[in-house]
Amino acid sequence: QQPVQSPQAVILREGEDAVINCSSSKALYSVHWYRQKHGEAPVFLMILLKGGEQKGHEKISASFNEKKQQSSLYLTASQLSYSGTYFCGTERSGNTGKLIFGQGTTLQVKP
Amino acid sequence: DTEVTQTPKHLVMGMTNKKSLKCEQHMGHRAMYWYKQKAKKPPELMFVYSYEKLSINESVPSRFSPECPNSSLLNLHLHALQPEDSALYLCASSPNRDNFEGAFFGQGTRLTVV
């Protein structure tokens, strides 16, 4: 079942902060975050596992609330390079490779 | 080498044609994936291969036939496609299916069925 992302779109000025949310109605094993720029491949940002472990890029932070099956991606002091579409992907069980992506959040950072 | 290479980049094919998409990685990854992405939509999982064996087929029509001839290569054979199959086809790989380090995506093959 596809996770739901909010908001659908965000417009920021450089230096502003943003939060992108991802929620599921089903129990999750992990949440993954990817960014895709127009005409490019998705790029891995972070994985959050139930139990609290997380791995990803140092400048990206995210949280995973297992009780609510929600994850949030925090983008602080945004830069122009942060522009793109952010997808969360969810796994309901481990070691399957079955990643289901949300519909995406488009982020535009303006000078 | 941290790349996933897909060929061709663009493909136009008729509904009666047979064509193949190719994906290659030399990172020693043992899990490989095919995704389909329509414009302004998220990638949709089609197939998962683990150690050269098909582990997930997301109810994909038989006109799409995947093949993993070795640990570095993944093919997607196409036959009798429909215009609605036109999309960006993305290949990805990860060290294994647990995805703890994320997946590397190729740039995709943009397929148009006429």
Side-chain angles (χ1 to χ4, degrees):
Chain A
Q1 192 158 3
Q2 187 180 39
V4 176
Q5 289 185 231
S6 62
Q8 288 190 351
V10 185
I11 299 176
L12 297 175
R13 295 283 181 192
E14 270 188 296
E16 292 182 337
D17 302 338
V19 180
I20 300 173
N21 301 302
C22 173
S23 64
S24 172
S25 59
K26 304 287 187 183
L28 299 176
Y29 172 77
S30 67
V31 179
H32 304 231
W33 287 97
Y34 284 79
R35 177 173 60 215
Q36 186 176 29
K37 293 179 181 280
H38 183 68
E40 298 183 10
V43 173
F44 172 73
L45 297 175
M46 173 164 282
I47 177 174
L48 302 105
L49 299 159
K50 72 174 187 177
E53 187 175 358
Q54 55 179 263
K55 297 186 181 184
H57 295 278
E58 292 177 3
K59 295 189 178 180
I60 300 286
S61 64
S63 64
F64 179 24
N65 184 325
E66 290 177 45
K67 286 184 180 177
K68 294 184 177 181
Q69 303 304 319
Q70 289 178 353
S71 178
S72 295
L73 184 70
Y74 305 99
L75 302 167
T76 56
S78 58
Q79 304 170 18
L80 295 175
S81 61
Y82 287 11
S83 293
T85 300
Y86 289 77
F87 293 104
C88 71
T90 56
E91 287 181 298
R92 294 195 55 205
S93 54
N95 199 29
T96 65
K98 184 170 178 173
L99 197 61
I100 307 300
F101 286 100
Q103 80 276 23
T105 296
T106 302
L107 177 74
Q108 185 181 1
V109 181
K110 294 186 173 182
Chain B
D1 183 2
T2 57
E3 279 193 350
V4 174
T5 304
Q6 289 187 245
T7 55
K9 288 188 170 29
H10 300 273
L11 178 63
V12 179
M13 61 184 290
M15 289 188 283
T16 58
N17 291 159
K18 284 186 180 179
K19 295 286 184 183
S20 297
L21 309 185
K22 181 180 171 182
C23 172
E24 196 166 4
Q25 56 89 13
H26 295 288
M27 295 177 279
H29 289 176
R30 304 315 297 268
M32 295 185 77
Y33 313 82
W34 281 114
Y35 285 87
K36 173 183 176 179
Q37 187 175 28
K38 292 268 200 180
K40 299 189 185 301
K41 297 291 186 183
E44 290 180 43
L45 183 66
M46 299 175 72
F47 302 104
V48 177
Y49 271 84
S50 177
Y51 288 83
E52 295 100 67
K53 290 191 184 334
L54 182 65
S55 63
I56 291 178
N57 175 343
E58 286 287 276
S59 303
V60 179
S62 60
R63 57 186 185 268
F64 295 91
S65 175
E67 179 197 20
C68 190
N70 60 56
S71 60
S72 300
L73 277 176
L74 186 65
N75 298 321
L76 186 63
H77 303 296
L78 314 172
H79 177 231
L81 295 193
Q82 304 296 311
E84 58 264 29
D85 296 323
S86 298
L88 181 67
Y89 288 84
L90 292 163
C91 173
S93 71
S94 60
N96 51 55
R97 288 181 305 183
D98 65 22
N99 262 316
F100 286 168
E101 295 170 42
F104 286 80
F105 280 81
Q107 294 291 321
T109 293
R110 190 161 298 282
L111 174 69
T112 304
V113 182
V114 297

